[in-house]
Each structure stands twice: as structure tokens, then as C-alpha cells.
């Protein structure tokens, strides 16, 4: 099998939408249509502080995605890289898709001069955490949110 990780292109919208919908479903959430349109436009914009994305393509079929963002950080001079969304189709998990996507984001962060890539996941996402524990460092931080 041939795995290729590449930037998301305008022609990828149907497959990107399928993958992102599956990701949102995994986290038991939905977003309105305007969020789909806006997010995809942001991924393609190329803006300095806009989201970027990769697709993992296995034997010609998109099977995974990653969305990431470079942002300022008060503890470093260079931008930091936040890996916001990572997803692989369930039928291809365990075949290196997630690792390949993380490594692609890490390579972009390295090129940009970032000191690290960080991401979050649900505490009970044990399947993903097995991978994350092998390739990343678990931090002691706990995330909080307050809705506006």
C-alpha cells in the first residue's frame, strides 16, 4: 500500500468534508454549514496565521486529515504549532496514518522554526493516546473552557 500525506487542495472538498464530518461525529458534535465553508476556505487561504491542513491518501483514497495552526506564544519568539484536528478512518487505523499526519505537521513546524507542536485529546480517547504516548510527551496541563 502507498501512503502519501499532502496539503489539502480545493478539489479535496468532498473527501475533506466526509473525513471532517466523521471526526466531528467521533466527538459527538456537529457544526453548521457556514462553519464547513469557512473552515475549508481558511485551510486553502495560505494566510500567515490561518489554519492549514493535510490529507493522508492511501492507494489514491483520502483516509485521514490534520488541521494545524501557527500562532504567537508569549514564552517563545517563534510561532508555536497547534495541531487542532487529527482523524483517520476507522478501517485504516493502526496502519501509520495518524503518525504520518503528525510527522507531516511536525516537519512543517520544524521548517517554520517552531519549538514544538502541541495537541489535545479527550482523556478517554485511549486508542489515539497509545500513539500519542509513543511519539509525544504528556504534559501536566489540564484544559478549561468558558463559553461566550
Amino acid at each position: 500500500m502507498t501512503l502519501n500525506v499532502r496539503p489539502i487542495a480545493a478539489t479535496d472538498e468532498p473527501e475533506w468534508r466526509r473525513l471532517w464530518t466523521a471526526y466531528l461525529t467521533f466527538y459527538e458534535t456537529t457544526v453548521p454549514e457556514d462553519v464547513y465553508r469557512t473552515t475549508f476556505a481558511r485551510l486553502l487561504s495560505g494566510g500567515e496565521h490561518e489554519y492549514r491542513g493535510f490529507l493522508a491518501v492511501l492507494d489514491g483514497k483520502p483516509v485521514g486529515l490534520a488541521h494545524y495552526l501557527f500562532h504567537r506564544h508569549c514564552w517563545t519568539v517563534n510561532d508555536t504549532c497547534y495541531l487542532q484536528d487529527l482523524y483517520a478512518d476507522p478501517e485504516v487505523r493502526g496502519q501509520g496514518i495518524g503518525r504520518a499526519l503528525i510527522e507531516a505537521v511536525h516537519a512543517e513546524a520544524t521548517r517554520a522554526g517552531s519549538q514544538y507542536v502541541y495537541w489535545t485529546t479527550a482523556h478517554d480517547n485511549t486508542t489515539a493516546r497509545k500513539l500519542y504516548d509513543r511519539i509525544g510527551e504528556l504534559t501536566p496541563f489540564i484544559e478549561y473552557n468558558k463559553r461566550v
Side-chain angles (χ1 to χ4, degrees):
M1 289 200 252
T2 303
L3 176 64
N4 179 37
V5 175
R6 61 169 176 75
I8 293 173
T11 56
D12 293 322
E13 185 172 7
E15 285 297 307
W16 168 83
R17 183 179 285 262
R18 178 187 66 79
L19 290 163
W20 199 42
T21 298
Y23 172 79
L24 295 170
T25 299
F26 175 82
Y27 279 108
E28 300 176 352
T29 193
T30 60
V31 296
E33 179 58 31
D34 66 321
V35 174
Y36 276 95
R37 284 192 309 272
T38 301
T39 299
F40 196 71
R42 287 174 176 166
L43 289 167
L44 298 179
S45 76
E48 183 180 4
H49 289 107
E50 280 292 358
Y51 278 93
R52 302 164 192 212
F54 285 117
L55 283 183
V57 181
L58 186 63
D59 292 335
K61 180 182 191 256
V63 295
L65 63 74
H67 300 152
Y68 64 101
L69 171 76
F70 291 103
H71 67 86
R72 304 266 188 245
H73 196 290
C74 291
W75 294 5
T76 65
V77 173
N78 293 348
D79 288 349
T80 295
C81 185
Y82 174 51
L83 172 56
Q84 181 171 16
D85 303 319
L86 180 70
Y87 181 78
D89 278 331
E91 62 271 8
V92 298
R93 290 186 186 152
Q95 297 182 40
I97 307 301
R99 176 184 289 271
L101 286 162
I102 291 170
E103 292 302 333
V105 172
H106 189 266
E108 288 297 304
T110 300
R111 277 191 278 283
S114 295
Q115 290 184 320
Y116 59 90
V117 176
Y118 72 100
W119 62 93
T120 63
T121 193
H123 71 281
D124 61 351
N125 189 356
T126 55
T127 301
R129 291 185 68 185
K130 287 177 188 174
L131 169 63
Y132 302 160
D133 286 343
R134 287 193 307 273
I135 63 174
E137 179 182 331
L138 180 63
T139 71
F141 291 95
I142 299 170
E143 179 181 329
Y144 290 87
N145 282 293
K146 184 174 180 179
R147 293 222 179 254
V148 177

